[in-house]
Each structure stands twice: as structure tokens, then as C-alpha cells.
């Protein structure tokens, strides 16, 4: 409508609102497999005040709003299922503050992981954050909204657990601060106050728009290295993880298996990253890790692989580009995964299910996993590369993804960043009172149901 377009242009400026066909097309999809749907307007605000005005307008006019970060979640969480405003936050891209001594950063919603990494390397080289392996155009806020995981997740838990404060525009237009920043000038922690951050994390933008984020930073050691432990028997993986995490010496532990190149078929790789400020520190950690899995080496059930520099360096890259490169194994550049969070002891069953589904549908697979916390749980990705130019291949992959979600729930896991159909599966199995609580919270915060409609929508 011309009237709405004009009002939006008055808020953000004519050049930052668009309803041109080519732009609506771009914002109708992400690189995953969900059906596209176009917004009516693409809007790019610069400040929280502009976001606030847009939300107030949308509320009066009952227009849906979908917050958009890097659009890389792959599960279609930014698809405007009911049209409305695609609110692209990438112009809000300032790193506002770094507190070196209390080790936190305050940033705006559009800051990308690539930008924050470069900013810290340049200005605060002793500090780092938990970088996910998503392409660097992913936003830090988009990642914490979906409970992302990064290179420090094995030590400190989900990236969303590293939030120290939030500024949020509520669906009714009020700007609200969460955590210590709501009481004083510092953004050091969301505790000891009631845990209101939970009203916005994992909700996929259905309860408000985060405009600022406080995030924990961690020491950046001078050196990093990786050891690669290989096993053939998936049943050994939980024990290896248990033993290695017991050392408390590791930065990151990831697990991978794929049938290409054929020399790696039937082998499960457990990548164990360590950091240190000196060669002695690294060597000490290496020895601890080797000792931890000595029994598996002695019994010849597993062993460490010699890593030449050309294998090692890409594995140490942050983000690693391995997943993106594997995406093109079928040509056509499609890649999608269902990555449930599962108890570590369920790894063998999840892996068995993945192989069964790959064989049932005659498609290839790429399994990746990441240990979360001191082996409290792990992300297990049922990953499938597919050919975007082949409609049959796309249909088959969709079925395999559906079955992977069912398998994840059957083994006791919870789908991570689930697409809308998988959200429904989760809600069907959810405790009824918990679901009712979610509905009440949603209704309270978003009485007109304008925020990212379609997501977390219970019947
Ligand atoms: C090759 C590849 C590798 C990946 N590896 C990882 C990995 O290692 N770890 C990992 O965690 N993820 C990974 N991902 C998944 C995903 O790309 C990342 O989690 C990414 O950080 C998501 O951020 P985004 O900016 O793209 O979010 P978007 O997709 O733009 O948004 C995600 C959700 O958050 C909402 N949202 C966005 N901004 C706001 C806001 N300001 N306020 C409220 N809601 C908001 C959106 O509406 C949407 O529901 C990977 C993806 C790819 C393609």
C-alpha cells in the first residue's frame, strides 16, 4: 500500500524501504529448503528509535514483522510466511563498547560474526568470542536468538548462555533493557535479576526485536592446535568424548563423518582443539588428551591421525569452510541439515539413523557434531547436500529431513532451530502445561500476533 510505504519511508528514509520485485524476491527465502514467501516491504532501520517507530506502525496497522539478520539459519526462520515487513537489521552495525577487564562486548543487532572477529583482532587481540562455523555474514544476534554454538561452546555452553544483557523493542513498541544494564551503566551480566533474557532467546523473533546485545568475551590464547582421533565404531564416540572432556583441556570438540573422499568412508573423526600461550602449554594439553584415550589406542580401537599442514589449517580456520565446500559435493550448491541437540550417549543411535536414512533415500550425507559444555549434550547434524537444479533430489532430501526430525525426537533429542513443520512436531510432543505457558507469554508480549507469524505458533 502506498500509504504504508510512505510512512515507512518517513521513518527510515526513502532509500531504505523497498517493495521492488527483486528485493522482495531476495527476502522471500534463505539458502535452505523451506518454501519461499515474499514480504510486502523490505525496511532497513539504522537506530533502535526507528525500529520502535516501525513496530508501532505495524501494530496499529496489524502488519507482520520479520527480523532479519544474515538469513543463514537454513531453516527458513526469516521467511515472511504472511508477508508484511522484512526488517533487515544489518545497518545497525556498530560495536559500541568493549570492557576488557570484565570481558564483555556491547553491539548492535546487525553486527556480523565476521565484523566482530575482525574488530577484536584489531583492537582487543587478547579477547575473543565463540565464533560459529556459519559464513561470516551471519549476525551475532541472529546466532544467539537461535541458541547457536561456536568454537567456545564446548567450554562454556551454548552461545546464548553467554548473553550479558539485551536491549529489546517489544512487539508493542516499548524499548526494554534486560540484565545489569537495566539497573546501571554496565552490561556485565543478566544475573542476579529474574532471567528475562529467556523471553527472547530461542523464540525466533516472535517476542521482540533485539536492538543491542551484551556478550561475554573470553581469553584469546596465542596458539591453537588440533588433534584428530579416529574410530570406526560409533559406539566408542561417547566414551572418547567423556574421557577427553574430563581433562578440561580442550577448546572445542567436533565430530564428523562423510563418505567422501572414499578413503574416509566408515571412519568417524573427532577433532579436538587445544589452545595455549606457549608450546609447553600445548604439549602438556596434548599429553593429557593422549593419556585420556590411551586405552582405546592400546586396544587398537582408535588412534590419532597425522595432520599435514594442508589438512590442519582449514580445520583450525574460524569459521571453517569445510561444510560450505562439502555442500557442493552433489553440484548445484544445496545443503541442509537437521541438527538436533541430543544427549551424548545417543550419538551411536543418531548415527545409525542417519546411515539408514541416507540408504533409504539413496542420498549422500555429511554428519557433523559439536560437544556442548563438558559433554552435557551435543549437536548432531543429519546433513544432506543436494542439487538445487534437480527437483527430484530436492523432494527426496525434504523427506529425509522430515524423517531426521522424527528420528531426533524418537531418540530423545530436541530439534535445533527447527523449521515451521518441525516446530509443530516439537509442540505436539511438548508437555501441555509448558506449551500453554509459551502461548500465554506470546500473547502477553505480542497481543496482535505481528511478530514473525507462523513460528512457534501452537494450534
Ligand atoms: C555453512 C553453515 C555453517 C553453519 N555453522 C553453524 C555453527 O557452527 N554454529 C551455529 O550456531 N550455526 C551455524 N550455522 C547456522 C546459522 O547460519 C548461524 O547460526 C547464524 O549465526 C544465524 O545468524 P543469522 O544472522 O543468519 O540469523 P537469521 O537467519 O537472519 O535469523 C535467525 C532467527 O533470528 C531472528 N532474528 C534475527 N535477528 C534478530 C533480532 N535482532 N531480534 C530478534 N530476532 C532476530 C530471525 O527472525 C530468525 O528467526 C551454519 C550455517 C551454515 C550455512
Amino acid at each position: 500500500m502506498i500509504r504504508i510505504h510512505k510512512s515507512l519511508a518517513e521513518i527510515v528514509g526513502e532509500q531504505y524501504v523497498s517493495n521492488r520485485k527483486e528485493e522482495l524476491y531476495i527476502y522471500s527465502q534463505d539458502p535452505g529448503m523451506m518454501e519461499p514467501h515474499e514480504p510486502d516491504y523490505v525496511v532497513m532501520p539504522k537506530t533502535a528509535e526507528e525500529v520502535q517507530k516501525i513496530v508501532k506502525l505495524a501494530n496499529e496497522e496489524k502488519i507482520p514483522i520479520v527480523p532479519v539478520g544474515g538469513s543463514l539459519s537454513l531453516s527458513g526462520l526469516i521467511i515472511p510466511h504472511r508477508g508484511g515487513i522484512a526488517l533487515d537489521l544489518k545497518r545497525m552495525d556498530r560495536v559500541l563498547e568493549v570492557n576488557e577487564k570484565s570481558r564483555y562486548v556491547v553491539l548492535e543487532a546487525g553486527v556480523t560474526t565476521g565484523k566482530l572477529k575482525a574488530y577484536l583482532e584489531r583492537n582487543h587481540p587478547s579477547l575473543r568470542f565463540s565464533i560459529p562455523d556459519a559464513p561470516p555474514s551471519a549476525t551475532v544476534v541472529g546466532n544467539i536468538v537461535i541458541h547457536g554454538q561456536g568454537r567456545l561452546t564446548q567450554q562454556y555452553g551454548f552461545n546464548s548462555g553467554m548473553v550479558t544483557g539485551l536491549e529489546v523493542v517489544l512487539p508493542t513498541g516499548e524499548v526494554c533493557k534486560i540484565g545489569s544494564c537495566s539497573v546501571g551503566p554496565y552490561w556485565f551480566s543478566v544475573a542476579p535479576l529474574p532471567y528475562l533474557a529467556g523471553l527472547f532467546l530461542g523464540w525466533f523473533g516472535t517476542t521482540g526485536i533485539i536492538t543491542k546485545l551484551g556478550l561475554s568475551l573470553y581469553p584469546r590464547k596465542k596458539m591453537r592446535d588440533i588433534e584428530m582421533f579416529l574410530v570406526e565404531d560409533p559406539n566408542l564416540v561417547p566414551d572418547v568424548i567423556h574421557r577427553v572432556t574430563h581433562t578440561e583441556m580442550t577448546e572445542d570438540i567436533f565430530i564428523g563423518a562423510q563418505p567422501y573422499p572414499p578413503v574416509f568412508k566408515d571412519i568417524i573423526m573427532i577433532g579436538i582443539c587445544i589452545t595455549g600461550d606457549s608450546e609447553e602449554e600445548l604439549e602438556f594439553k596434548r599429553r593429557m588428551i593422549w593419556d585420556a584415550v590411551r586405552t582405546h589406542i592400546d586396544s587398537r580401537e582408535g588412534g590419532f591421525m597425522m595432520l599435514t599442514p594442508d589438512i590442519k589449517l582449514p580445520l583450525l580456520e574460524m569459521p571453517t569452510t569445510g561444510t560450505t565446500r562439502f555442500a557442493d559435493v552433489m553440484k548445484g550448491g544445496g545443503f541442509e541439515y537437521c541438527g538436533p541437540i541430543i544427549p551424548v550417549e545417543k550419538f551411536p543411535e543418531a548415527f545409525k539413523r542417519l546411515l539408514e536414512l541416507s540408504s533409504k533415500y539413496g542420498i549422500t550425507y555429511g554428519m557433523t557434531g559439536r560437544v556442548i559444555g563438558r559433554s552435557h549434550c551435543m549437536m548432531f547434524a543429519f546433513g544432506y547436500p543436494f542439487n538445487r537444479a534437480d527437483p527430484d533430489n530436492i523432494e527426496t532430501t525434504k523427506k529425509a529431513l522430515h524423517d531426521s526430525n522424527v528420528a531426533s525426537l524418537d531418540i530423545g533429542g530436541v530439534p535445533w532451530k527447527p523449521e515451521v513443520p518441525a516446530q509443530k512436531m516439537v509442540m505436539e510432543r511438548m508437555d501441555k502445561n509448558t506449551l500453554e505457558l509459551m502461548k500465554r507469554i506470546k500473547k502477553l508480549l505480542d497481543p496482535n500476533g505481528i511478530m514473525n507469524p507462523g513460528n512457534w505458533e501452537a494450534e
Side-chain angles (χ1 to χ4, degrees), residues 33-34 336-340 353 357 360-361 363 382 384 394-410 415 418-426 428-429:
M33 305 198 92
M34 287 292 289
E336 176 70 287
Y337 63 99
C338 149
R353 297 287 192 112
L357 288 172
K360 175 177 169 189
Y361 289 109
I363 54 176
F382 294 74
Y384 306 104
I394 292 178
E395 267 322 296
T396 314
T397 310
K398 274 188 187 166
K399 285 184 192 149
L401 276 169
H402 170 270
D403 288 6
S404 305
N405 278 315
V406 175
S408 313
L409 286 159
D410 284 350
E419 59 281 4
V420 166
Q423 289 170 26
K424 294 209 184 310
M425 282 187 213
V426 173
E428 269 164 31
R429 299 210 191 188

Side-chain angles (χ1 to χ4, degrees), residues 66-74 77-78 89 109 113 132-135 137-139 141-143 145-150 159 204-205 208-211 323-324 337 370 416-417 452:
V66 179
V68 178
S71 303
L72 283 164
S73 66
L74 293 180
L77 301 177
I78 49 76
L89 296 153
T113 55
D133 285 321
S137 55
T139 61
V141 169
N143 182 255
V145 166
I146 63 170
H147 291 306
Q149 306 116 49
N159 290 355
F204 308 152
I209 300 165
I210 297 170
T211 43
T323 321
T324 320
Y337 63 99
R370 171 165 271 140
W416 168 50
K417 61 178 175 62
N452 208 353

Side-chain angles (χ1 to χ4, degrees), residues 27 37 85 89 100 135 174 190 205 264 306 439 444 457 459:
Y27 288 84
H37 192 286
I85 297 168
L89 296 153
E100 285 234 0
E174 302 86 350
V190 287
F264 285 125
M306 239 273 288
K439 279 197 229 172
L444 179 75
E457 221 169 62
E459 298 301 317

